[in-house]
């Protein structure tokens, strides 16, 4: 505020006396330089801290990573061996939650954008979706335990875990679907309807294919979220140690994030478990990196394709 | 043609139903969490199946959970201290029975255990016994204390969390609530300058090339699983803090705040940046044309214009920090006491649920108290979301 104090030369006076740069202007310039430098510094710090975390885990985990580590079950009280059951478990959970969240989420998104009349109802549903997205993952865990594990008596199982994780992914899928549909110009809808197609046909043959790239990107990102969540599966599915692979939906399973939590905080020999923990963290990071990369390249690929049309 | 119409109607119906999924899920969450949590207040203060028995001459009516705990911890040693007769307190637990009596005296299946307990309690005026209800309910010589239910006030305002204490567990949630608030407050304090700086830098200062690099980096930070960040905290941040501040343990509130700040950053940055990008170019150009520098334009025009978006970003960041479980569970040390400094171990609500639900028997008071914590957490985040909704709806007008 003091920059506009009466002592500072007014722009009107500087107009008459051609003295550039004025003291005020150069001070202005200096402040700007300092502030922008600060911004650069802080942004650099954030980027560096992320690279630091990634680098630390990659460097420490790289020596652990081997074919055996990826394809053997844990042995000797989890102080040696691999993490195959955890990888398989996480893949099962991802697939299970996808089966649940993708169809319902996409359908819900279509309803919100294509069918529901704009007004209070849509606002209410959108508010509920946003609220669901904001609910902490541990509350999902509690809910999954109360509903799926105890009330519906699925027990600690992949089914209960997948459903709980699916609920977590649902808002992400709904939002991205809705946004993708919103960006499609009404001209396409009207064109299709004018040619005699029904609303369902329009959505199925015209709208969905056009929105698919962005919807798929959203789906992949939601899978990324699901793969890293621990709290919802703590009490619905995750097994502390289970060397055999899951055989049915009602089996418990190990999962990568839970395994990382277990080997880094509890167990028989924390020292000996350290390498396993680094390796598990690295595998998790790789999954996240791959998913991000896939989503980004899909986004780029499709945006180029649409441009060239 | 009929088939076509049928498909049309069926599709509309199915889509409508799925449109309401999220609302139904929220309703279900509320119902189930509440159903379990409300059960807590139907529990007696003394562990289920047990009772407290006193001598007939002892006039004491009933005892609060805290008094019972203090008596059995031998911190209250005279009935006078809690308004009773002047007589020292002697406590008696079931385990002592086998020390005092032989197996023959107790009977093969403890059938005479009740008599033995009664004999003990009758013999000493200040005796209070914590024993199974079944054993003593028919005894003439002793009096069973009237049992109170757990009170909402004791839970919501109690400052001691001892859910597994016997004879009477304490469910005061204040240490957990204040632990959560401390960690969140410091996390946002750390994340705010960084978050705002990066958001402004990305939207106003950085050129396109740097943006192309920095944006994915932020997205990646958002994607890192919390358990990996927690592991990083455990391996790097915790030892670092321990050395720098010369602490007895490195697992402190500050470690949790640092990790949480990292997790709240992407939310603050992306929402804030989006808000600032939506500021019309004409406003910026007008400001620049009037002779303002770029920095003056940013803090006098762009930031005020997008302040509601920035605020929603920060509030969403707070929501993320409040509910974060795994990272906090791993690095904050989990001591369920009232925090006095951020450099001490403390414990948050989500971490408590995650740490204790596995050991709490389903349907018991402890289990229900954890669901009560879930309800509280749910309402905190619900409230935060409503705030965001309100802020952004005001922005649109």
């Amino acid at each position: 505020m003091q920059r506009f104090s009466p002592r500072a030369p007014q722009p009107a006076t500087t107009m008459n006396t051609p003295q550039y740069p004025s003291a005020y202007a150069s001070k202005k310039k200096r402040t700007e330089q300092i502030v922008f430098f600060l911004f650069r510094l802080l942004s650099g710090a954030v980027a560096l801290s992320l690279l630091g975390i990634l680098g630390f885990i990659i460097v420490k985990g790289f020596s652990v990573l081997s074919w055996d580590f990826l394809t053997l079950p844990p042995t000797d009280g989890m102080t040696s061996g691999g993490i195959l059951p955890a990888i398989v478990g996480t893949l099962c959970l991802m697939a299970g939650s996808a089966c649940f969240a993708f169809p319902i989420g996409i359908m819900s998104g279509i309803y919100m954008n294509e069918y529901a009349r704009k007004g209070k109802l849509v606002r209410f549903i959108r508010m509920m979706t946003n609220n669901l997205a904001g609910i902490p993952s541990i509350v999902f865990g509690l809910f999954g335990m109360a509903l799926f594990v105890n009330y519906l008596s699925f027990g600690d199982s992949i089914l209960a875990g997948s459903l709980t994780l699916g609920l977590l992914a649902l808002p992400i899928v709904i939002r991205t679907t809705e946004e993708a549909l919103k960006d499609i110009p009404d001209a396409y809808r009207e064109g299709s309807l004018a040619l005699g197609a029904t609303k369902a046909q329009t959505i199925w043959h015209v709208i969905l294919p056009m929105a698919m790239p962005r919807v798929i990107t959203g789906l992949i990102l939601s899978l990324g979220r699901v793969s890293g969540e621990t709290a919802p599966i703590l009490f619905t599915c995750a097994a502390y140690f289970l060397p055999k692979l899951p055989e049915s939906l009602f089996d418990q399973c190990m999962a990568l994030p839970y395994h990382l939590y277990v080997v880094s905080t509890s167990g028989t020999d924390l020292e000996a478990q350290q390498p396993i923990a680094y390796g598990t963290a690295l595998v998790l990071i790789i999954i996240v990196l791959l998913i991000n990369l896939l989503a980004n390249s899909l986004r780029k690929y499709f945006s180029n394709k649409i441009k060239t049309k | 043609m009929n088939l076509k119409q049928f498909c049309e109607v069926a599709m509309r119906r199915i889509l409508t139903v799925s449109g309401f999924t999220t609302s139904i899920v929220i309703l279900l969450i509320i119902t189930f969490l509440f159903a379990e949590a409300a059960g807590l207040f139907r529990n007696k203060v003394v562990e289920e199946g047990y009772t407290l028995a006193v001598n007939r001459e002892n006039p004491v009516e009933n005892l609060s959970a805290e008094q019972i705990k203090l008596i059995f911890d031998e911190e209250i040693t005279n009935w006078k201290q809690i308004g009773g007769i002047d007589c020292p307190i002697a406590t008696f637990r079931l385990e002592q029975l086998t020390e005092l009596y032989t197996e023959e005296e107790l009977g093969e299946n403890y059938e005479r255990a009740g008599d033995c307990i009664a004999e003990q309690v009758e013999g000493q005026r200040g005796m209070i016994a914590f024993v199974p209800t079944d054993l003593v309910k028919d005894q003439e010589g002793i009096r069973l204390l009237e049992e109170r239910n757990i009170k909402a006030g004791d839970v919501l305002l109690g400052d001691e969390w001892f859910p597994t204490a016997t004879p009477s567990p304490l469910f005061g949630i204040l240490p957990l609530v204040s632990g959560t608030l401390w960690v969140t407050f410091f996390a946002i304090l750390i994340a705010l300058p960084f978050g705002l700086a990066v958001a402004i830098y990305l939207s106003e200062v950085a050129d396109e090339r740097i943006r192309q690099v920095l944006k994915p980096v932020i997205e990646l930070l958002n994607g890192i699983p919390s358990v990996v960040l927690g592991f990083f905290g455990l391996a790097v941040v915790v030892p670092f803090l321990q050395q720098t501040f010369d602490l007895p343990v490195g697992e402190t509130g500050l470690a949790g705040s640092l990790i949480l700040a990292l997790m709240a950053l992407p939310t603050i940055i992306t929402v804030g940046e989006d808000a600032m990008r939506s500021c019309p170019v004409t406003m910026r150009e007008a400001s620049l044309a009037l002779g303002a520098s770029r920095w003056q334009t940013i803090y006098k025009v762009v930031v005020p214009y997008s302040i509601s978006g920035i605020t929603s970003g920060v509030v969403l960041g707070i929501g993320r920090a409040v509910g974060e479980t795994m990272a906090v569970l791993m690095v904050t040390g989990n001591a369920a006491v009232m925090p006095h400094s951020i450099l001490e171990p403390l414990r948050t609500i989500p971490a408590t649920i995650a740490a204790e639900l596995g050991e709490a028997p389903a349907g018991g008071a402890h289990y229900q108290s954890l669901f009560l914590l879930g309800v509280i957490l749910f309402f905190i985040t619900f409230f935060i979301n409503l705030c965001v909704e309100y802020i952004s709806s005001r922005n649109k007008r």
Side-chain angles (χ1 to χ4, degrees), chain B residues 206-216:
Chain B
D207 54 41
E208 197 54 32
R209 256 202 357 264
I210 296 180
R211 248 181 72 82
Q212 293 289 343
V213 179
L214 206 52
K215 274 292 268 187

Side-chain angles (χ1 to χ4, degrees), chain B residues 54-263:
Chain B
V54 292
N55 193 293
R56 281 224 170 268
E57 288 166 42
N58 196 337
V60 67
E61 281 291 321
N62 58 31
L63 296 166
S64 74
E66 203 164 349
Q67 285 169 334
I68 297 171
K69 178 179 175 285
L70 289 176
I71 288 173
F72 279 85
D73 285 352
E74 287 167 6
E75 277 170 50
I76 295 179
T77 50
N78 197 310
W79 289 107
K80 207 168 53 176
Q81 282 167 281
I82 44 177
I85 48 172
D86 185 5
C87 173
I89 298 176
T91 58
F92 181 85
R93 286 170 187 262
L94 195 61
E95 297 92 84
Q96 286 162 263
L97 209 54
T98 46
E99 291 163 22
L100 293 168
Y101 296 95
T102 61
E103 244 171 71
E104 285 150 36
E105 282 171 304
L106 287 172
E108 240 170 76
N109 299 313
Y110 273 57
E111 55 265 356
R112 282 192 294 280
D115 301 330
C116 300
I117 295 167
E119 189 181 299
Q120 282 293 318
V121 176
E122 272 175 275
Q124 227 175 324
R125 203 154 68 105
M127 174 77 81
I128 180 164
F130 169 60
V131 284
T133 318
D134 288 347
L135 287 183
V136 292
K137 63 178 178 230
D138 302 325
Q139 293 296 331
E140 293 287 313
I142 57 176
R143 192 164 61 87
L144 303 186
L145 281 187
E146 188 187 319
E147 287 178 7
R148 293 204 240 191
N149 282 357
I150 294 174
K151 274 199 219 143
D154 289 344
V155 173
L156 297 177
L157 301 174
D159 57 2
E160 281 183 281
W161 177 261
F162 286 109
T164 51
T166 52
S168 75
L170 292 179
F171 297 112
I173 59 167
L174 277 189
L176 312 176
V177 172
S178 48
T180 310
L181 293 181
W182 277 62
V183 174
T184 309
F185 175 74
F186 279 91
I188 294 302
L189 208 63
I190 300 165
L192 204 54
F194 284 94
L196 290 186
V198 179
I200 294 176
Y201 180 72
L202 270 178
S203 107
E204 306 296 322
V205 186
D207 54 41
E208 197 54 32
R209 256 202 357 264
I210 296 180
R211 248 181 72 82
Q212 293 289 343
V213 179
L214 206 52
K215 274 292 268 187
V217 166
I218 304 294
E219 258 168 49
L220 201 59
L221 187 60
N222 197 20
I224 295 185
S226 63
V227 68
V228 172
L229 283 177
F231 174 63
F232 174 78
L234 211 53
V236 177
V237 179
V238 166
F240 172 76
L241 287 180
Q242 192 173 3
Q243 273 175 11
T244 338
F245 295 101
D246 198 21
L247 299 167
V249 280
E251 279 116 340
T252 56
L254 187 59
S257 299
L258 282 171
I259 298 294
L260 278 186
L262 272 178
M263 308 194 70

Side-chain angles (χ1 to χ4, degrees), chain B residues 208-327:
Chain B
E208 197 54 32
R209 256 202 357 264
I210 296 180
R211 248 181 72 82
Q212 293 289 343
V213 179
L214 206 52
K215 274 292 268 187
V217 166
I218 304 294
E219 258 168 49
L220 201 59
L221 187 60
N222 197 20
I224 295 185
S226 63
V227 68
V228 172
L229 283 177
F231 174 63
F232 174 78
L234 211 53
V236 177
V237 179
V238 166
F240 172 76
L241 287 180
Q242 192 173 3
Q243 273 175 11
T244 338
F245 295 101
D246 198 21
L247 299 167
V249 280
E251 279 116 340
T252 56
L254 187 59
S257 299
L258 282 171
I259 298 294
L260 278 186
L262 272 178
M263 308 194 70
L265 262 180
T267 315
I268 299 180
I269 294 172
T270 38
V271 179
E273 194 218 339
D274 280 349
M276 280 188 260
R277 294 215 132 212
S278 70
C279 177
V281 187
T282 46
M283 288 181 75
R284 279 175 244 248
E285 282 169 353
S287 163
L288 291 172
L290 286 172
S293 68
R294 276 166 80 199
W295 167 234
Q296 284 172 328
T297 308
I298 290 170
Y299 86 86
K300 294 232 168 195
V301 177
V302 179
V303 170
Y305 178 87
S306 50
I307 192 69
S308 66
I310 297 172
T311 322
S312 340
V314 175
V315 176
L316 280 174
I318 295 176
R320 181 130 193 226
V322 167
E324 176 45 46
T325 315
M326 297 317 288

Side-chain angles (χ1 to χ4, degrees), chain A residues 1 3-4 24 28 31-32 35-36 38-40 42-43 45-47 49-50 52-54 56-57 104 107-108 110-112 115 121 123-132 134-140 142-143 145-147 150-151 167 170-171 174 196 198-201 203-204 224 228-231 234-235 257 260-261 264-265 274 277-278 281 284-285 288-289 292 296 299-300, chain B residues 4 7-8 11-12 14-16 18-23 25-26 28-29 32-33 36 193-194 196-198 200-202 205 212 214 216-221 223-229 231-232 234-236 262 265 269 291-296 298-300 319 322-326 329-330 350 353-358 362 367 370-371 373-375 377-378 381-382 385-386 389:
Chain A
M1 294 301 143
R3 284 180 194 83
F4 293 113
Y24 174 60
K28 208 164 77 171
T31 330
E32 184 174 297
V35 172
F36 281 9
L38 257 175
F39 286 167
R40 284 203 182 87
L42 292 181
S43 307
V46 170
S49 62
L50 173 84
I53 294 171
L54 290 186
F56 176 77
I57 287 170
I104 295 185
M107 288 198 295
S108 182
I110 294 175
Y111 171 76
M112 298 265 285
Y115 282 91
L121 187 65
R123 271 226 303 283
F124 175 76
I125 297 181
R126 191 165 298 138
M127 196 180 89
M128 283 306 183
T129 312
N130 286 344
N131 271 321
L132 196 64
I135 291 177
S137 50
I138 187 73
V139 175
F140 280 101
L142 275 177
F143 172 64
M145 182 179 186
L147 176 63
N150 293 340
Y151 188 75
L167 290 181
L170 201 56
I174 294 177
T198 62
K199 193 160 187 174
Q201 284 172 328
I203 291 171
W204 185 250
E229 280 292 346
T230 322
L234 272 180
F235 314 113
L260 174 57
Y261 168 65
S264 60
T265 57
Q274 275 293 327
Y278 282 114
L284 258 177
I285 291 270
V288 171
L289 279 175
N292 263 286
N296 270 332
R299 203 181 292 159
K300 241 176 225 153
Chain B
K4 206 165 150 186
C7 285
E8 199 72 9
M11 189 152 162
R12 170 172 290 131
I14 295 170
L15 289 175
T16 313
S18 58
F20 284 96
T21 325
T22 49
S23 316
V25 169
I26 294 225
L28 280 177
I29 291 180
F32 272 87
L33 257 54
E36 292 287 356
F194 284 94
L196 290 186
V198 179
I200 294 176
Y201 180 72
L202 270 178
V205 186
Q212 293 289 343
L214 206 52
V217 166
I218 304 294
E219 258 168 49
L220 201 59
L221 187 60
I224 295 185
S226 63
V227 68
V228 172
L229 283 177
F231 174 63
F232 174 78
L234 211 53
V236 177
L262 272 178
L265 262 180
I269 294 172
S293 68
R294 276 166 80 199
W295 167 234
Q296 284 172 328
I298 290 170
Y299 86 86
K300 294 232 168 195
V322 167
E324 176 45 46
T325 315
M326 297 317 288
L329 174 65
M330 289 163 88
I353 301 174
E356 293 180 3
L357 190 60
Y367 179 85
L370 295 175
F371 273 85
L373 288 181
V375 168
L377 204 56
F378 175 84
T381 47
F382 202 81
N385 277 306
L386 288 184
E389 209 79 26

